Amino acid sequence: MTVLSIIRDCLDALLHPSARYDALTRARHRAFMAPRLLGSLAAFAAFPVYLAMRGAPSAVEVAAFAWLIAPIMLSWFLSRTGRYEGAHVLSSLALAGLIMAVAITTGGIASFAAVWLVVVPLEAALSASRRVAAFASLLALSCAGMLILVSQLGWLPVEEPGTAERGVLMAFGVASATLYAAGLAFGAESLARTSVALLSREEERYRLLARNMSDVISRHQRNGAVQFISPAVEAMLGMSVTQLHGHGLFDRVHVADRPAYLTALSDAARGDVRSVEFRLRREPAGSERGQIDFIWVEMRCRPLDQDLGRDPSREAEVVAVMRDITDRKLSEQALDQARSAAEAADAAKTRFLATMSHELRTPLNAIIGFSEMIAQEQTLMLGAGQRKEYAQLINDSGQHLLSVVNGILDMSKMESGNFEIASEPFAPRASLLHCCNLLALKARENGVDLVTDAPQDLPVMTGDPRAFKQIVLNLVANAIKFTERGGQVSVTASVSASQLTLRISDTGVGIAPDDLKRIGAPFFQAGKTYQRRHEGTGLGLSIVKSLVALHLGEMTVQSRLGEGTAVTVKLPLVYTPPQAKPFDGKPAESKVATLTPVPRQDIQDQLHDQPAPVKKSA
């Protein structure tokens, strides 16, 4: 432990409690007490030496030495009260009184002690108070005026020192005043250095805080211009702080959010506390030119000075804190999408129940009713022709009921990923003609002309023939069902590259653009004008869509309301089922392909976004 540290610890022990928790105040109190205590101790030490050299002192000399010991009382006053400015005022009075006492007895204004009056305001400058410095300056001028007045009135003692003694005293006075002033200068420099160090430390502390805060702190004018913004914005927006000064930040606010941004700042400038959410354009590292990326930001702003309204001449300013809330916004959007999906699922369930209540009840009523009539044939006197007719109606109703149940089961298997297809070679032309022949009777009954165009040279394709027939039957049956009497349904097949293209077109009622976006969704039936004119569950086209996707094919629809619909299906000539890899890493051969279940969210997205239109199913 050094001597200076021991002295500093002793001085710190004498400090008033109010000065112990602020470094600058502690340094000022220490700078006031240290030279005075050391000066008083030096006076105590020099007094015996002075007595040995001078002899018995005079009353003036005793008073001068007593005055030199007085700074101990000033240090005690500061230590007990903590009144820094008051201690400086007392110190100026004590120093001026000592100078006056010595100067009056040694020649007045011409005394060697008069030069010490210059030191009085210099010492007061250490108080960092204009009032104390002004008081000390007036006190020094007053003392100088009094010395001049006393000298002019001849009130000074008659005995004056000799020329040689006067020169020695003047040299002593100038040298001692210079040394004391130098001590004051070093004290002032030490306080200034301490102030700069403390200021730099505080700046570094706030700079460290600003750099490591994830939130961005900014200072704005009322019109939104940025005067200060913390470095955290560089990580948030990917650009330097200087580019955001002025209106740089405003230029990056999304155009639709700028009114809310400026309104929040304007309200905050009037004294309110506001919170606003808006989008900011970000430039991520490595992004290509022209790429636009927006993030969601929440900004809480408040007036910089709560008492600003008392001074109308000052311009209102706002301090704001911004944070990135993109993740929260994405979560909210995901919740909204999940809610929409749940609502859509609930609506689909309602449509399903409504459709099934009709599609199942109608054939069941026919089956029950005609079977009861056959059971009572003796009572009703039924003939053989009537029994045959009723049996045929029961069979037709049962077949219809079976097709409805099979459609539901097939759709359920496809959505759950359990629908299996067996890939094998087959002739598509024969399958296509067979399906059209099955539906030819239905077309004649509806008064629709069914035209089939299948080239003789259609190549053999590899796929599931059962699924291929189901695709053709559903599409052609739909076209016949929704074509008015006298219309035409055309079925064409062609080969392009490695794909078989099927095109089923009709001159029927067509599909509205709004319904076209949702066509193909399970249990969806398009159109209000013809919604219940035809029987069906809304599953046929959904099954077709899934079977086409299962065969890695494509399906598109072009339709205009009142003009007809054209459905185009493209299937690969050689279908290769997806092969699963076993544990040894080698592909395992399989002739069975399974449709991967579609997530519920993807199904809902397809309901609203996909443009792949498919016609209403039977």
Side-chain angles (χ1 to χ4, degrees):
M1 182 177 293
T2 61
V3 177
L4 292 178
S5 62
I6 295 175
I7 295 176
R8 177 171 297 182
D9 292 340
C10 294
L11 290 174
D12 290 342
L14 297 175
L15 295 179
H16 190 266
S18 62
R20 294 177 181 176
Y21 303 103
D22 184 76
L24 184 58
T25 304
R26 185 167 61 249
R28 286 175 176 173
H29 284 227
R30 194 187 296 125
F32 180 89
M33 297 172 64
R36 286 163 178 78
L37 291 176
L38 293 177
S40 298
L41 293 176
F44 269 119
F47 188 67
V49 178
Y50 182 81
L51 291 178
M53 295 177 58
R54 178 81 176 179
S58 62
V60 176
E61 292 172 339
V62 172
F65 271 103
W67 215 282
L68 290 175
I69 300 173
I72 294 180
M73 302 302 298
L74 295 177
S75 300
W76 177 85
F77 172 80
L78 181 61
S79 175
R80 293 300 178 185
T81 63
R83 298 171 60 183
Y84 185 66
E85 293 184 1
H88 267 284
V89 170
L90 294 177
S91 178
S92 298
L93 290 173
L95 181 59
L98 176 62
I99 294 172
M100 287 291 293
V102 175
I104 289 175
T105 59
T106 56
I109 194 64
S111 172
F112 72 94
V115 71
W116 273 76
L117 291 175
V118 179
V119 179
V120 175
L122 293 178
E123 183 186 62
L126 295 179
S127 66
S129 172
R130 290 186 177 181
R131 294 182 299 176
V132 175
F135 171 79
S137 299
L138 291 175
L139 179 63
L141 291 175
S142 300
C143 292
M146 292 177 61
L147 290 177
I148 293 173
L149 181 61
V150 170
S151 298
Q152 292 296 327
L153 295 178
W155 292 351
L156 298 175
V158 178
E159 181 181 0
E160 295 183 0
T163 304
E165 186 178 358
R166 177 178 295 179
V168 172
L169 292 176
M170 184 59 69
F172 172 76
V174 172
S176 59
T178 303
L179 290 175
Y180 193 79
L184 295 177
F186 279 110
E189 187 275 336
S190 177
L191 288 177
R193 188 172 63 251
T194 302
S195 300
V196 171
L198 292 175
L199 180 60
S200 177
R201 188 182 306 169
E202 289 297 321
E203 288 181 351
E204 183 63 27
R205 183 182 303 170
Y206 286 113
R207 192 177 297 112
L208 180 64
L209 182 64
R211 286 175 181 173
N212 291 276
M213 282 185 61
S214 58
D215 294 350
V216 177
I217 302 175
S218 55
R219 181 177 177 179
H220 304 257
Q221 294 179 350
R222 189 168 188 169
N223 61 356
V226 176
Q227 294 181 310
F228 166 80
I229 192 165
S230 61
V233 75
E234 296 181 358
M236 178 183 290
L237 297 182
M239 60 188 310
S240 62
V241 171
T242 56
Q243 293 177 281
L244 299 174
H245 284 170
H247 293 285
L249 181 63
F250 174 78
D251 294 338
R252 307 191 72 79
V253 178
H254 195 281
V255 176
D257 299 333
R258 290 179 181 179
Y261 170 78
L262 293 177
T263 301
L265 291 176
S266 179
D267 292 343
R270 288 195 294 267
D272 299 331
V273 178
R274 287 289 180 264
S275 178
V276 63
E277 295 178 358
F278 55 90
R279 287 161 288 182
L280 278 176
R281 189 173 73 252
R282 177 176 59 182
E283 293 183 1
S287 62
E288 299 179 358
R289 181 179 296 273
Q291 181 180 1
I292 299 178
D293 182 18
F294 283 91
I295 62 172
W296 277 98
V297 172
E298 179 187 28
M299 182 177 74
R300 296 184 61 85
C301 47
R302 57 179 295 276
L304 182 63
D305 188 359
Q306 295 288 357
D307 300 329
L308 191 60
R310 301 178 183 176
D311 187 5
S313 62
R314 293 179 59 188
E315 183 180 0
E317 293 183 354
V318 175
V319 61
V321 179
M322 293 182 290
R323 64 177 53 184
D324 188 350
I325 59 169
T326 305
D327 293 339
R328 192 185 79 188
K329 281 291 184 179
L330 293 177
S331 299
E332 291 177 356
Q333 293 176 2
L335 289 176
D336 291 339
Q337 292 177 358
R339 187 181 302 109
S340 300
E343 293 174 354
D346 185 68
K349 181 189 70 174
T350 303
R351 288 195 305 270
F352 169 77
L353 294 176
T355 302
M356 289 301 99
S357 65
H358 171 78
E359 296 298 331
L360 297 179
R361 187 185 305 167
T362 301
L364 284 175
N365 286 336
I367 293 172
I368 295 172
F370 288 111
S371 62
E372 288 179 350
M373 295 180 68
I374 294 175
Q376 301 176 7
E377 60 176 337
Q378 294 181 354
T379 305
L380 297 176
M381 305 290 292
L382 296 179
Q386 287 179 318
R387 288 197 303 273
K388 182 178 180 181
E389 180 184 358
Y390 293 166
Q392 184 62 42
L393 291 174
I394 292 173
N395 181 266
D396 293 341
S397 299
Q399 292 295 334
H400 175 71
L401 186 60
L402 179 61
S403 66
V404 170
V405 174
N406 285 335
I408 296 174
L409 294 177
D410 289 343
M411 195 64 230
S412 177
K413 289 180 180 180
M414 291 178 186
E415 289 191 345
S416 63
N418 295 324
F419 188 86
E420 298 180 348
I421 63 172
S423 179
E424 61 183 52
F426 69 96
R429 185 175 185 275
S431 299
L432 182 63
L433 294 177
H434 176 70
C435 294
C436 292
N437 291 333
L438 290 177
L439 296 172
L441 178 60
K442 182 178 181 181
R444 285 195 300 270
E445 291 175 352
N446 291 353
V448 176
D449 187 13
L450 178 59
V451 179
T452 305
D453 182 11
Q456 296 283 347
D457 58 349
L458 282 181
V460 175
M461 65 181 297
T462 302
D464 190 335
R466 181 178 60 88
F468 180 82
K469 290 180 180 179
Q470 192 170 3
I471 292 173
V472 175
L473 287 173
N474 280 330
L475 293 179
V476 176
N478 264 4
I480 296 173
K481 182 191 301 182
F482 295 103
T483 301
E484 300 295 337
R485 184 171 295 274
Q488 178 177 307
V489 175
S490 300
V491 180
T492 61
S494 61
V495 175
S496 59
S498 59
Q499 287 183 328
L500 173 68
T501 302
L502 296 177
R503 180 179 175 85
I504 296 90
S505 60
D506 60 66
T507 58
V509 294
I511 304 172
D514 292 338
D515 292 338
L516 203 60
K517 299 177 181 179
R518 299 180 57 191
I519 220 69
F523 310 109
F524 176 75
Q525 294 176 312
K528 294 182 179 179
T529 58
Y530 54 92
Q531 184 172 2
R532 297 310 302 168
R533 289 175 56 187
H534 306 279
E535 62 179 11
T537 61
L539 288 176
L541 287 181
S542 179
I543 293 174
V544 170
K545 183 178 177 182
S546 299
L547 289 176
V548 171
L550 187 61
H551 282 80
L552 306 179
E554 300 176 2
M555 180 173 61
T556 58
V557 170
Q558 290 140 0
S559 181
R560 190 182 295 273
L561 193 62
E563 297 183 7
T565 304
V567 181
T568 303
V569 175
K570 294 182 179 181
L571 299 173
L573 290 176
V574 179
Y575 166 70
T576 303
Q579 296 178 346
K581 291 185 178 181
F583 293 106
D584 58 0
K586 296 180 181 180
E589 296 183 359
S590 174
K591 293 185 178 181
V592 178
T594 304
L595 182 66
T596 303
V598 181
R600 185 173 296 274
Q601 180 60 44
D602 294 345
I603 294 175
Q604 297 305 325
D605 293 341
Q606 292 173 7
L607 290 179
H608 299 286
D609 299 333
Q610 71 176 8
V614 183
K615 200 168 184 182
K616 180 180 175 184
S617 169

